[in-house]
Amino acid sequence: MDTPIHIDSRFPAMGTTIFTVMSKLAADCGAVNLSQGFPDFQAEPALFDAMHRYMLAGRNQYAPMAGLPELRQAIVDKVAALYGTRFDVDREVTVTAGATQAIFTAIAAFVRPGDEVIALEPVYDSYVPAIETVGGKAVFSRLRFPDYTPDWDEVQSLVTPRTRMIIVNSPHNPTGSLLTAADLDRLAAIVRGTDIVILSDEVYEHIVYEGEAHASLCGHPELAARSIVVSSFGKTYHITGWKIGYVVGPEALMAEFRKVHQFNVFTVHAPSQLAIAEYMQDASRHLGLAAFYQEKRDFFRALMRDTSFELLPCRGTYFQLARYGQISELPDTDFAQWLTREVGVAVIPVSVFHADGHDEKVVRFCFAKREETLVAAAERLRAAFAK
């Protein structure tokens, strides 16, 4: 339908997210979709049974704005058991409509027009639009290739009187790198004596490999006192379509977060919250996630061994980066589209996570898939790019 209205777009350069673009292209081409980060397998029936019970029991009306007390208590208990910090169940935890909403709400709550936000790139694609929507400016420090470790000296040099927030993400999407305890100490030194808020995206907190412990900002007292920490039940329990996450943080920060949350979401689907609260009482369901995905990671890496892709280290998340320089000289966005159309495997080009399109000829595969899906993708890749 045509409109007589002239629209002066606030975001004329902003397009559709790469995940939507590549998933649509995969569907159009009949490609195996290893691009968008969602499992193609089900969660345990016990979770769905619990949801059904609560729906039939009539728990279908608005939950409290901050989340149902049962789920908030379960979150507080889990965080305390894992990281040693016990947040206040009433004042320091909020259930959100997924992690993306949590991130947007945190940015909207603290970043004012003209403020600067430091982000480490490659940077997940929702951060910058949120910053710019509220009138802030994103400032980037590039993680050091190929291990994608932070350059804290550069981060320190980027701090100005206008710096309002620093965003960190570990385990890191898209690279699979991890922050260490030493990294957290460096970050704490940078923000000490400032009013800088830390936004920590930890949605893959339970997907860390080789027995490494996740270095959560919740477990670093100095950083926990100035941080909003985000996590996701979608990533943990294979239910990305439920769009339920949470944030924890000190009371003063959470009060500001909730001022925005109450008007852009208000509350989250009630029976889902109850089902998750019940389901997470069995801690093995999140404690066993690392081993579950490490097996998938190793299975996929073994399948890819006979291809000309160079697999980079994957210390966490369910993403595997690979260099394709031995295969093609195409820019990564062109290569990803060509791979989807001509080979039948959809991936994500990593340059889209850089503000300036920095291209190291690296693409991202998602291995949160059934074995048969990974085998089908690998067969196509081996046929096209055998060593």
Side-chain angles (χ1 to χ4, degrees):
M1 178 184 297
D2 292 332
T3 177
I5 299 170
H6 170 71
I7 299 172
D8 185 13
S9 175
R10 284 190 65 195
F11 309 105
M14 190 180 297
T16 303
T17 172
I18 188 65
F19 306 110
T20 299
V21 170
M22 294 308 300
S23 284
K24 182 180 186 304
L25 184 60
D28 291 345
C29 298
V32 180
N33 189 0
L34 301 190
S35 60
Q36 196 168 0
F38 61 85
D40 69 347
F41 47 84
Q42 285 277 45
E44 289 185 311
L47 182 57
F48 307 136
D49 292 343
M51 165 87 85
H52 192 221
R53 266 190 287 107
Y54 287 115
M55 292 173 73
L56 293 180
R59 301 297 299 273
N60 300 301
Q61 307 310 320
Y62 291 128
M65 180 266 286
L68 283 162
E70 295 93 334
L71 183 53
R72 285 185 279 118
Q73 186 64 60
I75 292 166
V76 165
D77 291 343
K78 185 195 81 164
V79 171
L82 289 174
Y83 309 123
T85 301
R86 180 163 291 276
F87 289 92
D88 185 277
V89 71
D90 293 318
R91 299 177 181 86
E92 297 185 327
V93 57
T94 301
V95 179
T96 63
T100 301
Q101 180 252 311
I103 289 163
F104 184 93
T105 299
I107 291 168
F110 296 105
V111 178
R112 296 162 294 215
D115 284 348
E116 294 178 350
V117 179
I118 298 173
L120 309 182
E121 63 175 2
V123 59
Y124 185 69
D125 74 339
S126 78
Y127 300 173
V128 175
I131 294 165
E132 294 178 347
T133 295
V134 300
K137 177 185 178 183
V139 179
F140 302 101
S141 175
R142 185 173 297 164
L143 297 172
R144 292 175 291 201
F145 185 81
D147 295 327
Y148 295 103
T149 54
D151 182 342
W152 293 116
D153 290 336
E154 181 182 50
V155 173
Q156 175 73 76
S157 74
L158 296 174
V159 173
T160 75
R162 294 185 297 279
T163 304
R164 181 60 173 163
M165 177 180 283
I166 298 175
I167 304 178
V168 294
N169 172 206
S170 179
H172 186 262
N173 179 11
T175 70
S177 63
L178 305 177
L179 295 180
T180 65
D183 288 317
L184 300 195
D185 287 341
R186 287 294 308 274
L187 177 59
I190 289 170
V191 298
R192 193 172 295 140
T194 74
D195 290 326
I196 296 172
V197 175
I198 307 297
L199 176 58
S200 185
D201 178 353
E202 303 183 17
V203 301
Y204 298 98
E205 62 175 320
H206 301 301
I207 310 177
V208 178
Y209 303 130
E210 319 301 348
E212 287 198 62
H214 169 55
S216 174
L217 272 67
C218 293
H220 191 288
E222 187 176 358
L223 291 175
R226 63 166 69 236
S227 298
I228 293 287
V229 178
V230 180
S231 194
S232 164
F233 294 115
K235 300 297 190 294
T236 301
Y237 295 136
H238 320 308
I239 48 170
T240 61
W242 286 27
K243 292 296 293 179
I244 298 184
Y246 64 87
V247 297
V248 294
E251 181 179 355
L253 297 186
M254 193 61 66
E256 295 301 308
F257 180 93
R258 288 178 178 179
K259 288 176 182 178
V260 179
H261 173 78
Q262 68 182 332
F263 292 117
N264 73 351
V265 171
F266 178 63
T267 190
V268 175
H269 189 253
S272 298
Q273 293 190 53
L274 292 163
I276 291 170
E278 178 181 312
Y279 188 75
M280 66 190 296
Q281 296 309 306
D282 181 351
S284 69
R285 288 167 169 151
H286 57 262
L287 295 178
L289 200 63
F292 173 80
Y293 274 123
Q294 184 168 326
E295 184 175 342
K296 286 190 176 293
R297 180 201 65 173
D298 294 346
F299 181 74
F300 181 65
R301 288 177 68 94
L303 290 172
M304 294 287 286
R305 193 174 296 133
D306 295 330
T307 73
S308 296
F309 285 96
E310 178 190 346
L311 301 183
L312 297 181
C314 171
R315 297 170 63 199
T317 77
Y318 46 54
F319 302 116
Q320 174 65 61
L321 293 193
R323 299 175 78 175
Y324 64 86
Q326 297 180 43
I327 296 170
S328 173
E329 291 298 317
L330 286 172
D332 65 357
T333 52
D334 293 341
F335 178 76
Q337 293 184 20
W338 176 85
L339 192 70
T340 305
R341 291 192 178 98
E342 302 300 327
V343 180
V345 178
V347 296
I348 296 292
V350 172
S351 70
V352 300
F353 300 100
H354 287 270
D356 62 359
H358 178 69
D359 185 357
E360 289 160 328
K361 291 189 168 48
V362 175
V363 293
R364 190 196 79 174
F365 295 91
C366 174
F367 56 80
K369 308 294 178 183
R370 294 170 295 165
E371 285 194 359
E372 53 263 42
T373 304
L374 298 175
V375 167
E379 286 177 347
R380 298 182 183 193
L381 295 168
R382 286 201 299 264
F385 312 118
K387 284 185 179 177

